[in-house]
Amino acid sequence: MYAKKFVACFLTLLNFDFVQPTVLKEDHPFDLVIFTQFWPQTVCKEWKEHNPSHTCAMPAKKDSWTIHGVWPTKLGTKTPAFCNRTWLFDPEEVRPIEKDLLAMWPNIEVESAYTLWAHEWNKHGTCAAVLEPLNSQLKYFQQGLTWLQKYFIYDILKEANIVPSDNKEYRIEDIYQAVLKNVSVRPAIECDREHGGNFIVEVRLCFSKKLELVDCDGIAFHDMEEYGSILTNCNPNSGVYYLENAVPKTVYVQLYKLLSWLQWFTL
Ligand SMILES: *[C@@H]1O[C@H](CO)[C@@H](O)[C@H](O)[C@H]1NC(C)=O
Ligand SMILES: *[C@@H]1O[C@H](CO)[C@@H](O)[C@H](O)[C@H]1NC(C)=O
């Protein structure tokens, strides 16, 4: 019994989707709801880096941050997840808002948006659905659209003269302050730091269970380090890039530097 529970917990932590969480089913506590927007150019860059044959489905509007997800979250964890395995995503449920979803919640990584929506609903939406304003697929996805329009990161950064550029380096403090100033709560900002890079990729805003903005303090974060009061994994000691193009010159510059270094090293 305990062994089974332990194994189930362990596999759940690893996000193994095939575990039947019978022993965990009764309770899926969470503290807040994270709303994550991402920057398609950087998402596409990462996707292509995984495999050069990958192509991206970019949003029609070039200045568009788009929605990654709406995630009920227990502080310090990446749970709950998959709270109802029989309530699966159904494209018919979101048909009335499908056009807006395609524009604002597209799947950058493959052609079919449904795979992203199905993943987000099955993993996170089924947990969010205990909250009355999020208790259907239509309401859950609509809430994402509403938040994107209300807290559109492109406009928020632009007000602080932070705009996409392949060459310009921004300070993480400035990006952070721009968002903080606008929403008056502490966001969390994620960078893609693969290959020594420092590319802004996600901005997270946090909401209480009443769906009011709250600080993101305490959320679990990939490689999270706190720099002063900033919740981020971005490297504070180097500039942050806000890419204008998924395959920017700067990546080639880095690749060139790497190749030069390898050549020097092997000769
Ligand atoms: C799971 O979802 C189905 C379909 O909406 C619903 O009938 C059922 O009551 C849900 N189960 C739980 C445990 O919430
Ligand atoms: C937040 O940014 C939006 C978009 O630029 C702007 O319309 C709004 O007035 C800003 N709000 C505050 C409080 O700065």
Side-chain angles (χ1 to χ4, degrees):
M1 168 67 188
Y2 280 112
K4 189 175 164 203
K5 194 161 180 171
F6 176 77
V7 169
C9 284
F10 184 66
L11 292 177
T12 305
L13 282 175
L14 292 178
N15 271 335
F16 274 69
D17 297 359
F18 56 80
V19 180
Q20 288 302 318
T22 42
V23 288
L24 301 170
K25 205 165 198 165
E26 52 280 334
D27 200 9
H28 306 283
F30 61 88
D31 301 306
L32 43 72
V33 178
I34 301 176
F35 170 58
T36 299
Q37 298 180 44
F38 53 26
W39 177 240
Q41 302 296 342
T42 306
V43 174
C44 178
K45 180 184 85 66
E46 287 180 328
W47 179 236
K48 287 183 168 175
E49 277 169 2
H50 289 169
N51 184 335
S53 72
H54 282 160
T55 55
C56 306
M58 302 303 280
K61 271 185 83 218
K62 191 142 198 272
D63 64 357
S64 196
W65 283 68
T66 58
I67 302 167
H68 186 179
V70 173
W71 307 327
T73 303
K74 189 166 158 50
L75 292 178
T77 76
K78 291 198 172 173
T79 62
F82 299 105
C83 294
N84 184 339
R85 284 173 190 271
T86 61
W87 194 3
L88 298 177
F89 176 71
D90 175 3
E92 289 310 317
E93 297 279 328
V94 298
R95 202 66 79 196
I97 56 169
E98 182 174 291
K99 240 183 95 198
D100 288 341
L101 285 175
L102 285 170
M104 294 186 252
W105 202 327
N107 189 358
I108 307 298
E109 298 184 350
V110 284
E111 295 299 332
S112 164
Y114 291 164
T115 53
L116 175 62
W117 301 341
H119 176 79
E120 294 300 320
W121 169 262
N122 297 345
K123 184 170 178 184
H124 304 286
T126 53
C127 303
V130 294
L131 303 179
E132 191 277 332
L134 304 177
N135 67 3
S136 74
Q137 300 189 27
L138 187 60
K139 285 159 92 176
Y140 174 78
F141 285 98
Q142 179 59 57
Q143 186 64 61
L145 298 179
T146 301
W147 277 337
L148 187 80
Q149 287 164 299
K150 193 160 177 195
Y151 307 109
F152 193 51
I153 294 300
Y154 187 89
D155 288 345
I156 290 175
L157 294 182
K158 192 157 180 252
E159 262 189 20
N161 295 317
I162 297 169
V163 292
S165 158
D166 292 340
N167 310 308
K168 198 157 181 215
E169 296 184 14
Y170 293 102
R171 285 164 15 112
I172 184 59
E173 288 87 346
D174 294 336
I175 295 175
Y176 199 83
Q177 287 303 327
V179 181
L180 176 61
K181 184 164 158 264
N182 190 275
V183 296
S184 304
V185 290
R186 287 150 53 67
I189 296 180
E190 183 161 316
C191 280
D192 159 23
R193 293 187 57 180
E194 268 181 60
H195 312 302
N198 206 27
F199 301 91
I200 186 169
V201 64
E202 290 192 344
V203 173
R204 297 177 189 187
L205 298 178
C206 296
F207 293 84
S208 69
K209 288 176 162 179
K210 290 180 181 158
L211 307 190
E212 289 160 349
L213 279 167
V214 293
D215 293 328
C216 282
D217 295 67
I219 67 171
F221 208 81
H222 184 58
D223 291 333
M224 168 77 122
E225 295 173 50
E226 280 203 39
Y227 298 117
S229 59
I230 299 182
L231 309 172
T232 187
N233 74 330
C234 302
N235 182 351
N237 300 316
S238 78
V240 175
Y241 285 99
Y242 178 14
L243 290 181
E244 191 176 356
N245 297 290
V247 184
K249 254 177 31 210
T250 47
V251 172
Y252 291 124
V253 170
Q254 284 175 1
L255 191 64
Y256 176 74
K257 279 186 193 156
L258 178 70
L259 288 175
S260 315
W261 181 81
L262 282 175
Q263 199 177 28
W264 169 82
F265 189 73
T266 47
L267 282 178

